[in-house]
Amino acid sequence: MARAVNNKRRAVVTLIAWAVGIAIFFPILYTVLTSFKTEAEAVASPPSFLFFDWTLENYAEVQERSNYFLHFLNSVVISLGSTVLGLIIAVPAAWSMAFFPKKRTKDILMWMLSTKMLPPVGVLVPIYLLFRDASLLDTRTGLVIVLTMINLPIIVWMIFTYFKEIPGEILEAARMDGANLWDEVVYVLTPMAIPGIASTLLLNIILAWNEAFWTLNLTAAKAAPLTAFIASYSSPEGLFYAKLSAASTMAIAPILILGWFSQKQLVRGLTFGAVK
C-alpha cells in the first residue's frame, strides 16, 4: 500500500515538474519557431506552430543589418571578465568571513545582499556621470566593472556558503604542515570548493550575459553586447516580430548551449553541502 502511494506521489510530482518545465520552455520554443516565419506569418492569428513556410531570410537580414559577431564577442568578454574579476574579489572576502567571522559578519552579509534590492534606475545618473568623466562609457572595461559590482554580493554569498561547509580543521592541519596564507587559499581551500565555485561562475556568467539595463544605458555601439543587439530591433517604425525573434534566438543560443552542457555541474554545485 505504501509503495502504491509513493508511486502515485512520484507520478504526480513528475507530471507537475513536466508541466512547469514546458511552461518555462514554451516562450523560448515559440521564439525559435517564429524566427523561421515570414513577417506575415509571425503576426497571423491564430498562430501556426509547425505548419508554415520555413525560411532563413530573417537570419540573413539580421546578419546583414548588424554585426552579430562583434556583439557576441562583447558579451563573452563582459560576462567572463566580470565573473572572473568578481571571483578574484569574492574568494578572499568569503574566506575571511567563513573562517575568521566577526561579530558583525552576518550584518555585513545582509547589507551586501540588501544592495541587490535597490532599483538600478536609482543609481543610474551618478554612475552615468562617473563613467562619463572617467571616459568609460561605451567600453568593455566600464561594463566589466559595473557588472562585477552588481553581481558581487551574489558571488560572495554563494562562495561563503560553500566555504562554511568545509571543516576548519583541514586548514589548521595545512598550517601545521607549513602552508602559508596563499597556499591555504589556493591549494587547500579552493580545490575543495571547486563544485561550488564552478556553479557560482556559471550562474554569474548567465546573469552578466542577460543583463540589459546597464548595457543599454552605458553603451552605444563599440561595446554593445547581445542584449543591445536584440533591443536594436525595436524601432519607431514598429516591431518586426520575425526578425526580432531571429535576433533573440541568435542571442540566447550560446547561453542555452552552455547551460545544457553544464547543467550537471551547476546542479552539483548548487546542492553542494546540502546533504551531510
Side-chain angles (χ1 to χ4, degrees), residues 31-266:
T31 298
V32 174
L33 292 176
T34 304
S35 69
F36 293 100
K37 298 179 180 180
T38 63
E39 290 294 344
E41 291 173 327
V43 297
S45 182
S48 56
F49 288 94
L50 296 175
F51 303 103
F52 56 86
D53 294 329
W54 293 65
T55 178
L56 294 175
E57 291 180 359
N58 298 312
Y59 289 94
E61 291 187 28
V62 167
Q63 187 58 37
E64 289 177 4
R65 172 177 166 179
S66 306
N67 190 346
Y68 169 78
F69 293 103
L70 174 63
H71 295 290
F72 172 77
L73 180 61
N74 288 338
S75 288
V76 171
V77 172
I78 292 166
S79 57
L80 287 179
S82 62
T83 301
V84 172
L85 180 59
L87 286 175
I88 293 173
I89 299 172
V91 168
W95 169 82
S96 63
M97 287 189 286
F99 296 102
F100 301 95
K102 303 297 182 182
K103 186 183 298 184
R104 310 283 299 194
T105 296
K106 291 185 178 180
D107 295 336
I108 294 174
L109 286 168
M110 286 303 302
W111 171 77
M112 293 178 63
L113 192 61
S114 69
T115 60
K116 294 293 294 179
M117 305 175 191
L118 176 70
V121 70
V123 292
L124 173 61
V125 172
I127 288 181
Y128 183 89
L129 295 176
L130 287 171
F131 273 49
R132 183 198 62 184
D133 296 340
S135 300
L136 290 175
L137 288 176
D138 200 18
T139 63
R140 294 172 180 173
T141 303
L143 285 179
V144 166
I145 293 173
V146 74
L147 293 184
T148 299
M149 296 298 103
I150 290 171
N151 294 327
L152 190 60
I154 296 178
I155 301 176
V156 172
W157 259 92
M158 292 183 68
I159 297 181
F160 169 79
T161 302
Y162 303 135
F163 282 179
K164 286 291 289 183
E165 297 297 329
I166 298 176
E169 291 79 6
I170 295 178
L171 299 183
E172 293 177 4
R175 296 187 196 112
M176 293 179 64
D177 289 338
N180 56 31
L181 179 60
W182 175 261
D183 295 333
E184 180 182 327
V185 174
V186 175
Y187 298 109
V188 180
L189 187 61
T190 303
M192 296 184 65
I194 282 295
I197 293 176
S199 66
T200 303
L201 184 145
L202 292 170
L203 179 62
N204 282 273
I205 286 176
I206 294 171
L207 291 175
W209 189 280
N210 293 332
E211 176 59 43
F213 179 82
W214 293 107
T215 56
L216 291 176
N217 285 286
L218 298 180
T219 62
K222 293 188 296 182
L226 287 172
T227 47
F229 167 74
I230 297 174
S232 67
Y233 285 86
S234 175
S235 63
E237 291 82 9
L239 285 174
F240 298 94
Y241 289 103
K243 297 178 181 61
L244 180 61
S245 297
S248 300
T249 301
M250 295 171 69
I252 66 177
I255 205 68
L256 283 177
I257 295 172
L258 174 65
W260 177 264
F261 284 105
S262 61
Q263 57 181 319
K264 290 184 179 180
Q265 183 65 45
L266 185 60

